[in-house]
Amino acid sequence: MKRSGSISQENYLKAIFKLQHEHGIASNQAIAEKLAATPAAVTGMLHKLTELDWIDYTAYQGAKLTAKGRQIATSTIRKHRLWEVFLVEKLQFKWDAVHQWAEELEHIGDANFTNRLDAFLGCPSTDPHGDPIPDSNGDWKGNERVFSADALTRKQKFTVRGVSNSASDFLRHLDALKIQLGKHFEVMDFFPFDGSWEWKDDQGIPIRVSREVAGQLLVEAIPTNRGNENQES
Amino acid sequence: MKRSGSISQENYLKAIFKLQHEHGIASNQAIAEKLAATPAAVTGMLHKLTELDWIDYTAYQGAKLTAKGRQIATSTIRKHRLWEVFLVEKLQFKWDAVHQWAEELEHIGDANFTNRLDAFLGCPSTDPHGDPIPDSNGDWKGNERVFSADALTRKQKFTVRGVSNSASDFLRHLDALKIQLGKHFEVMDFFPFDGSWEWKDDQGIPIRVSREVAGQLLVEAIPTNRGNENQES
DNA sequence: ATAAATATTTAAGCTCACCTAAACAACTGC
DNA sequence: GCAGTTGTTTAGGTGAGCTTAAATATTTAT
Ligand SMILES: [Mn+2]
Ligand SMILES: [Mn+2]
Ligand SMILES: [Mn+2]
Ligand SMILES: [Mn+2]
């Protein structure tokens, strides 16, 4: 089996997929920004993707994926995230170094290839940044209990579940703070002056976290034993 | 670190590298055949590679790699063969299915990436087809004791070491004959009529091997205990 | 409602890597 | 040595995916 679309086409579909989730529709400008291209280039490609029936596109309105377009987009995202797991788990890359390579690897391999990679990696459900990995049908279960760390409240215990920004400098900053996915913390204090926090980790070691960091960190609250609000059976 | 050359350029360097080994120089026509392109396309690319100082090229004469060109070529071959090992050993692909994917994967990753992949695979010295894997300096030790199976002699015991043709249909034919790399055989008979052979494997099971198969199979003789000709200390 | 600002499309042109067809150079046979 | 064959290069052109600049559509502000 060959690649569904060209590398460029797959990148467009991926961008449209993500923008559609955020804004309901992908505007020309937003696509252009995400792909570091000019709006003129985007218009041209949107025409081509419309021809291929991978998007529905109305001039001046924006683009939405068709079923086939969505399938290609999610399969590309699946490959991207599986390769990132491979690079971290098997090749020992740091989590801030894998995106650039995954951006190339995601365009290689068919469904059979991807399923073998998936099996080899033990069918992981999230990538090294906490993002969910779609299954071969393009479906995945998001964790609804995850929310941005800037919405935490005092005394709350929580687990770090992901990042909403995968930029290298942010990830390296988290390394410096010894903040890793899966690690447990408790909110000690919040400082309205600058929006910063004091948390303490499972060893009782305190850290200071800026508003910028908390705003891009995804966490899941740990229900307290006595507190029983919003508990799922 | 980014890719040394474009994908197309790397494919040209790889082709020139192999042709140079076979014929001392890479002719326009031979390159064109290997890359399934027209001679006119090759001339154009040879000009570009000359500009980049990756080849020495004299019009109407042919191309030879410079030191830098050789470095890029061997590093691409290294990546190709390491990925083939990965696909067979880790993703359980059959040896006739890996070349197509390696042809794409070989263009991804820098030296650090490749060295990590190499380490993860346990620094293999040959790929699934018995071809040697260059080290990070582009050097490798060929096995001089390897020769084509059609030069075997009666009663000779030998080990299958590689194939000089990696085409899928040939590899699948070897699978059907249960001929695998590393397997031991003994020559039972040779039939000059059609150039075919009878061999028997380490279980004593006899197989018939055609001239076409023997001519593309690489083997290494197993020295007999009493015979001591050409023995290295 | 209209003017200004913003977003999008069209127009023209670029680079890369390829193609075909024609011109040209280099070998080959005698 | 010259004709014919083979191999190579040049000339002209294509398509994908870009660019900038100009034209046009849409949205926002007054
Ligand atoms: Mn990524
Ligand atoms: Mn990509
Ligand atoms: Mn191969
Ligand atoms: Mn290749």
Side-chain angles (χ1 to χ4, degrees), chain B residues 152-164:
Chain B
L152 283 164
T153 54
R154 247 172 273 247
K155 297 285 171 192
Q156 180 64 63
K157 290 184 176 165
F158 63 93
T159 310
V160 177
R161 286 297 184 213
V163 291
S164 47

Side-chain angles (χ1 to χ4, degrees), chain B residues 11 14 103 106-107:
Chain B
N11 285 338
K14 228 177 33 148
E103 202 58 46
E106 71 186 0
H107 304 291

Side-chain angles (χ1 to χ4, degrees), chain A residues 15-90:
Chain A
I16 293 166
F17 178 87
K18 288 174 181 171
L19 291 167
Q20 208 179 323
H21 262 245
E22 283 177 57
H23 309 115
I25 195 165
S27 75
N28 185 308
Q29 194 163 63
I31 298 168
E33 254 171 55
K34 209 164 254 252
L35 298 176
T38 58
V42 174
T43 301
M45 183 59 92
L46 294 186
H47 283 135
K48 217 162 303 176
L49 296 176
T50 304
E51 285 280 297
L52 289 163
D53 245 324
W54 293 344
I55 62 171
D56 289 323
Y57 164 58
T58 320
Y60 295 100
Q61 294 309 119
K64 292 180 178 188
L65 297 178
T66 62
K68 178 61 184 166
R70 199 194 118 96
Q71 190 276 313
I72 299 173
T74 53
S75 117
T76 306
I77 291 168
R78 171 169 158 83
K79 289 191 277 181
H80 183 105
R81 294 182 180 166
L82 284 171
W83 280 116
E84 287 189 346
V85 173
F86 170 75
L87 295 173
V88 167
E89 301 275 313
K90 306 297 184 182

Side-chain angles (χ1 to χ4, degrees), chain A residues 14 18 80-81 84 98-100 102-103 106 127 129 131 166:
Chain A
K14 227 176 35 145
K18 288 174 181 171
H80 183 105
R81 294 182 180 166
E84 287 189 346
V98 299
H99 184 81
Q100 56 160 146
E103 202 57 48
E106 71 186 0
D127 80 5
H129 313 108
D131 295 315
S166 288

Side-chain angles (χ1 to χ4, degrees), chain A:
Chain A
M1 209 191 278
K2 276 255 35 88
R3 205 198 328 280
S4 319
S6 70
I7 289 174
S8 193
Q9 287 166 356
E10 288 183 355
N11 285 338
Y12 272 84
L13 293 177
K14 227 176 35 145
I16 293 166
F17 178 87
K18 288 174 181 171
L19 291 167
Q20 208 179 323
H21 262 245
E22 283 177 57
H23 309 115
I25 195 165
S27 75
N28 185 308
Q29 194 163 63
I31 298 168
E33 254 171 55
K34 209 164 254 252
L35 298 176
T38 58
V42 174
T43 301
M45 183 59 92
L46 294 186
H47 283 135
K48 217 162 303 176
L49 296 176
T50 304
E51 285 280 297
L52 289 163
D53 245 324
W54 293 344
I55 62 171
D56 289 323
Y57 164 58
T58 320
Y60 295 100
Q61 294 309 119
K64 292 180 178 188
L65 297 178
T66 62
K68 178 61 184 166
R70 199 194 118 96
Q71 190 276 313
I72 299 173
T74 53
S75 117
T76 306
I77 291 168
R78 171 169 158 83
K79 289 191 277 181
H80 183 105
R81 294 182 180 166
L82 284 171
W83 280 116
E84 287 189 346
V85 173
F86 170 75
L87 295 173
V88 167
E89 301 275 313
K90 306 297 184 182
L91 300 197
Q92 321 289 340
F93 274 100
K94 305 254 287 311
W95 68 342
D96 63 295
V98 299
H99 184 81
Q100 56 160 146
W101 300 125
E103 202 57 48
E104 303 187 39
L105 289 162
E106 71 186 0
H107 304 292
I108 293 180
D110 58 8
N112 172 252
F113 186 122
T114 309
N115 291 340
R116 283 171 185 269
L117 179 62
D118 185 43
F120 172 62
L121 297 171
C123 303
S125 59
T126 61
D127 80 5
H129 313 108
D131 295 315
I133 296 174
D135 64 24
S136 44
N137 301 315
D139 302 323
W140 69 82
K141 40 176 193 340
N143 185 343
E144 283 89 18
R145 299 203 302 280
V146 164
F147 58 92
S148 179
D150 55 13
L152 283 164
T153 54
R154 248 170 272 246
K155 296 283 171 195
Q156 180 63 63
K157 290 185 177 166
F158 63 93
T159 309
V160 177
R161 286 296 185 213
V163 292
S164 47
N165 166 9
S166 288
S168 286
D169 54 355
F170 176 53
L171 298 177
R172 279 195 299 270
H173 186 57
L174 293 182
D175 286 340
L177 292 171
K178 296 195 169 52
I179 296 177
Q180 293 117 25
L181 298 202
K183 196 166 165 184
H184 303 311
F185 289 92
E186 180 178 349
V187 177
M188 302 310 289
D189 216 342
F190 172 69
F191 306 98
F193 169 68
D194 59 0
S196 71
W197 301 78
E198 187 180 332
W199 299 342
K200 110 184 153 188
D201 71 12
D202 45 8
Q203 310 294 309
I205 299 170
I207 57 170
R208 288 300 180 99
V209 172
S210 67
R211 179 166 40 88
E212 288 80 3
V213 167
Q216 312 197 71
L217 208 57
L218 300 173
V219 300
E220 177 179 349
I222 300 171
T224 54
N225 285 344
R226 43 196 185 76
N228 59 354
E229 37 172 344
N230 272 359
Q231 222 160 315
E232 255 122 304
S233 73

